Amino acid sequence: MSLSIPNAPNSGLFKAGYQNYDAEDGAVLRNIDACRTIASTVQTSLGPYGRNKLVINHLQKMTLTNDAATILRELEVVHPAAKLLVMASQQQEAEMGDATNMVIVFAGELLRKAEDLLRMGLKTSEIVQGYERAGREAIRILEELEVDRVENIRDQAELAKAIRTVVAAKQSGNEEFLADMVAEAVLAVLPKNPYNFNVDNVRVVKIMGGSLEQSKVVKGMVFGRQPDGTVTKAVKSKVGVFSCPIDISQTETKGTVLLKNSKELYEFSKGEEAQMEQTVKELKDSGLRVIVAGSTVGELALHYLNRAGILVIKVLSKFELRRLCRVVGATPLARLGAPMPDEMGNVDIVETLEIGGDRVTVFRQENEQTRTATLVLRGATQNHLEDVERAVDDGVNVFKAITRDPRLVPGAGASEMQLIERVTAIADRTAGLGQHAIRKYAEAFEVIPRTLAESAGLDATEVLAKLYTAHAATPTPQANTNGTKKTSDSESSSSSEAEVPCLGVDIENNDGTGTLDAEDDGILDLMITKSWAIKLATEAARTVLSVDQIIVARQAGGPKPPGPNPGWDDDD
C-alpha cells in the first residue's frame, strides 16, 4: 500500500518483493552480529587443541575436522556480510594455504570491538580510518618481530622446523613425524629454482589400516589399484600412455553380416583377433613394456598384452593421467598404435605392493630428484586420514610461502601479545577520536592467545595477565607518529631482534604457569602467512563496516523441485 503513496521511500523504484534494510534499521549491527556468529562457530577450532566440527552436508556426507576452510566450505553460508568473511578466508587459503581460521576469528573480533565503538557514538568512517591505520602499523611491527628464518631451503631439518607448527595446529602430537615426511617429499620434487615449486607435485594416497607411523614417502606416483593383466612388475621400461580405449575399434556405421556356417563365423572373428595381435606386436616391437590406459581395456587386447609380457594399468582420472605423464615424461596418445620415440616415457620401477591388505601400483624413479612424490598415509578411519591429508596440504603450502619469504616470528600467541603492546602505544600517541579505533584494533589481537588458553583448558584470564606483565616489562622501540623509528636502521634491527619477547601460551602447561618461550620451544609461525591473515581480516572488517544499506531482491520464481517420495517402496 505504501508504494502507491508518492512520498513513500523508494516508491516505485524497486519491483515488488524487494527487502530494504538501511542504517536506521541497524543494518551495520545486523551485519556485525552475523559475522560474529560465523566467527564464534570456528573460533573453538583454533589451535592444536581446537575442537572438531562434525558437518553433514546436503548430500549426507559427513566431514569431521577442525580446518576452518573445510568447515566453511561445507556450511554454505548465505548471509551477504558473513560471506565477505568467508571470501577473505578462502582468499587466504588460495594465497597461503594456512591461517584461514585466524582470518575469520580476528575479523569477527574486530567487528565485535567496532560494535562497542558504535555504541559509544563513533561514526563508521572514523572506525574504518582507525582500523586502516592500525592495520598498516601492525604489518610494520610484525616485520620487527622476526626471531628466526629458514637459512637453507634444501636442509630437511631447517624445513621441518618451519613446517611443524603448521602441522601441529591440525595434528597435535604427530607434528614431528609429519613435518619430517612433508619436508622429505618437498625436497624430493624441489626444482633448481625453488620459486618454481609446484604444490601439485606432492600427492597423497590414503590407505586405511595400520597407524600413522607406518606412513611413508614414495618418490613417484602411487595408484590405489593393481595392474589389469598378469604382469605386475617392470624395471627400466618404456611407458606408453593412451587416452583412448585399448580395444577393437568400433565402426561409425552399422552393417549386417550374414553368416551361413561355422567356418564363416570362425573366419570373421579371426580377422579381428589378427588385427589386435598385429597392433600388440607393433607396441612390443616399439619397445613398450608398460601401458597406461585412460579408458577401457578390452578382454582380447588384455589377452595379447599378457602374452607379450606388457604391464597394463587403467588410470581413469584425466588429472592423474596428466600427472603420470609428467613423472615418466610421456605424451598421452589419442590413437592406438606404436608411439614415436619422443612420445614414450621412461620409468625405473613399476611394481605392485600390498599395503594393509590393499594392493597398490607404484611408479618410482630411482634418481635423487623426481617430478612427483607421494605420501602414503595410514590410519584407522577415513575421516582421520582426510584430516591428516589437510595437515599435509597445509605443510606443503607453507613451503611454497617459505620460498617467497623465509622469515619466522614467535607463535603460541606471543606475536599477538607484542602487537597488542606496540599498537596500543601508537594509540596513546594519536590525537583525536581515531585513537579509540586503534586501541580497540590492538585489543582484538587478544582473541588469539585467549582462545588458545581456553581450548587447552587453562584459566585464560590468569594466563593473559602473566603474558601482559611479561610483554609490558620489555621496552618497545619508540616510533615517530609517522611510524618510523628514531634510531638508525642498523641499531633498530639489532635492538628489535634482541627485544622481541617470545612468551606465549603453553597449551600443555608443562611448568604449571601456562606460559612458555615460543622461540626456545620451536613454536614459530611464518611471517608472511600471519601478515596476509591480518591484512585480509582488516580488509574484510572494514568492508563490512562500510555497508550502511542492504537491498535484497526477491528470489527467482519457478516451480519447486520435487521432494523425496516417502512411499517410493510401496508395492501398490
Side-chain angles (χ1 to χ4, degrees):
M1 189 69 187
S2 65
L3 288 178
S4 62
I5 302 170
N7 297 328
N10 299 330
S11 76
L13 182 61
F14 302 130
K15 285 172 69 176
Y18 267 80
Q19 291 175 303
N20 183 19
Y21 307 99
D22 58 19
E24 291 166 12
D25 299 330
V28 177
L29 296 177
R30 285 188 191 194
N31 289 346
I32 290 172
D33 194 46
C35 294
R36 280 172 54 190
T37 304
I38 198 79
S40 62
T41 303
V42 295
Q43 185 173 332
T44 51
S45 297
L46 184 74
Y49 283 6
R51 304 292 180 265
N52 285 339
K53 307 288 181 201
L54 186 61
V55 184
I56 300 167
N57 68 6
H58 61 290
L59 298 173
Q60 301 302 300
K61 183 195 170 196
M62 186 177 76
T63 306
L64 180 72
T65 181
N66 64 351
D67 180 43
T70 308
I71 294 165
L72 295 170
R73 198 180 306 122
E74 295 294 337
L75 282 178
E76 294 183 5
V77 178
V78 294
H79 192 284
K83 248 185 175 175
L84 290 169
L85 261 64
V86 175
M87 284 158 64
S89 175
Q90 288 169 346
Q91 187 60 36
Q92 175 77 3
E93 174 78 3
E95 199 71 39
M96 291 290 135
D98 184 39
T100 50
N101 206 341
M102 183 183 170
V103 173
I104 296 278
V105 171
F106 183 53
E109 189 67 12
L110 284 175
L111 290 169
R112 196 171 75 80
K113 298 292 183 186
E115 187 177 359
D116 297 342
L117 292 170
L118 286 169
R119 296 194 190 285
M120 280 168 55
L122 264 73
K123 298 283 186 288
T124 50
S125 58
E126 293 163 345
I127 300 170
V128 166
Q129 286 172 4
Y131 276 9
E132 186 176 2
R133 184 181 168 202
R136 284 199 306 269
E137 294 292 344
I139 301 296
R140 180 186 63 76
I141 291 165
L142 191 67
E143 296 193 351
E144 298 169 5
L145 301 182
E146 178 192 346
V147 291
D148 202 350
R149 62 170 57 217
V150 181
E151 299 290 351
N152 181 7
I153 211 162
R154 296 185 186 274
D155 181 11
Q156 189 170 326
E158 281 269 307
L159 273 187
K161 171 184 73 176
I163 292 171
R164 67 184 289 275
T165 309
V166 178
V167 176
K170 299 276 188 299
Q171 289 293 315
S172 181
N174 300 318
E175 64 267 20
E176 296 287 351
F177 174 71
L178 283 172
D180 276 335
M181 268 181 63
V182 171
E184 183 186 341
V186 161
L187 290 174
V189 299
L190 189 61
K192 285 181 181 173
N193 182 1
Y195 201 79
N196 295 332
F197 171 76
N198 186 0
V199 175
D200 198 45
N201 289 344
V202 178
R203 311 299 307 155
V204 172
V205 169
K206 306 183 286 285
I207 299 176
M208 280 177 65
S211 65
L212 192 62
E213 284 70 33
Q214 292 171 298
S215 305
K216 60 182 179 181
V217 177
V218 176
K219 288 182 181 177
M221 287 198 76
V222 178
F223 297 99
R225 60 181 299 155
Q226 56 189 18
D228 289 50
T230 54
V231 183
T232 59
K233 185 165 183 178
V235 180
K236 299 284 182 187
S237 308
K238 290 196 178 298
V239 184
V241 180
F242 295 93
S243 57
C244 61
I246 299 177
D247 202 353
I248 300 291
S249 56
Q250 300 289 328
T251 56
E252 290 186 10
T253 56
K254 290 186 178 181
T256 304
V257 179
L258 181 63
L259 303 171
K260 294 179 180 174
N261 51 41
S262 59
K263 188 181 177 189
E264 286 183 0
L265 178 62
Y266 174 71
E267 292 291 338
F268 181 74
S269 60
K270 192 177 178 184
E272 283 191 344
E273 288 174 19
Q275 183 188 350
M276 181 51 72
E277 187 176 13
Q278 180 60 31
T279 304
V280 172
K281 186 175 181 300
E282 286 176 13
L283 292 173
K284 187 178 181 183
D285 291 346
S286 69
L288 281 184
R289 291 297 175 268
V290 178
I291 285 181
V292 180
S295 189
T296 55
V297 179
E299 295 289 330
L300 187 63
L302 196 58
H303 166 70
Y304 284 115
L305 288 165
N306 286 337
R307 275 177 53 177
I310 297 175
L311 185 146
V312 187
I313 182 169
K314 273 194 289 190
V315 178
L316 298 179
S317 163
K318 63 180 180 182
F319 301 108
E320 293 291 316
L321 202 69
R322 202 178 296 159
R323 291 186 189 105
L324 182 61
C325 287
R326 212 162 52 206
V327 171
V328 299
T331 305
L333 301 172
R335 54 173 173 78
L336 183 60
M340 302 293 286
D342 60 334
E343 293 174 331
M344 292 188 282
N346 293 286
V347 66
D348 290 342
I349 294 178
V350 181
E351 58 183 344
T352 308
L353 304 175
E354 188 166 338
I355 303 176
D358 290 3
R359 295 183 73 79
V360 298
T361 305
V362 180
F363 282 72
R364 195 165 76 239
Q365 305 286 27
E366 291 294 291
N367 55 344
E368 281 298 313
Q369 287 296 110
T370 179
R371 295 296 294 274
T372 301
T374 304
L375 283 88
V376 180
L377 299 178
R378 309 296 311 283
T381 65
Q382 194 65 30
N383 276 313
H384 178 240
L385 284 171
E386 285 174 4
D387 224 23
V388 175
E389 182 184 7
R390 291 185 197 106
V392 168
D393 283 347
D394 279 7
V396 176
N397 276 299
V398 159
F399 174 77
K400 178 71 176 170
I402 289 171
T403 60
R404 293 166 60 178
D405 188 346
R407 293 177 291 175
L408 301 168
V409 295
S415 298
E416 284 78 7
M417 292 304 300
Q418 197 58 28
L419 284 166
I420 295 171
E421 190 70 32
R422 299 196 187 185
V423 176
T424 304
I426 291 168
D428 293 340
R429 295 193 300 272
T430 304
L433 291 172
Q435 63 177 296
H436 298 293
I438 296 171
R439 188 172 286 107
K440 289 288 185 186
Y441 186 97
E443 288 172 14
F445 281 111
E446 188 188 289
V447 72
I448 305 295
R450 180 179 289 278
T451 306
L452 289 174
E454 284 174 352
S455 62
L458 303 171
D459 184 342
T461 309
E462 186 184 336
V463 171
L464 280 169
K466 288 175 183 171
L467 292 177
Y468 272 120
T469 307
H471 283 264
T474 307
T476 58
Q478 291 296 311
N480 295 322
T481 50
N482 62 2
T484 58
K485 284 198 196 173
K486 291 180 179 176
T487 53
S488 68
D489 288 345
S490 58
E491 287 172 353
S492 66
S493 61
S494 59
S495 64
S496 64
E497 280 182 29
E499 288 170 352
V500 173
C502 298
L503 207 65
V505 181
D506 181 7
I507 55 171
E508 292 172 3
N509 202 16
N510 292 320
D511 57 0
T513 62
T515 60
L516 53 69
D517 190 300
E519 189 178 5
D520 290 349
D521 285 45
I523 303 172
L524 302 169
D525 290 335
L526 200 62
M527 184 190 292
I528 190 171
T529 305
K530 205 175 276 287
S531 173
W532 267 92
I534 293 170
K535 219 177 284 181
L536 288 167
T538 308
E539 199 59 46
R542 284 176 52 221
T543 307
V544 171
L545 288 170
S546 300
V547 174
D548 75 330
Q549 196 167 6
I550 306 173
I551 303 165
V552 185
R554 188 174 61 182
Q555 284 194 334
K560 289 185 179 178
N565 180 11
W568 64 273
D569 57 345
D570 290 350
D571 293 336
D572 52 348

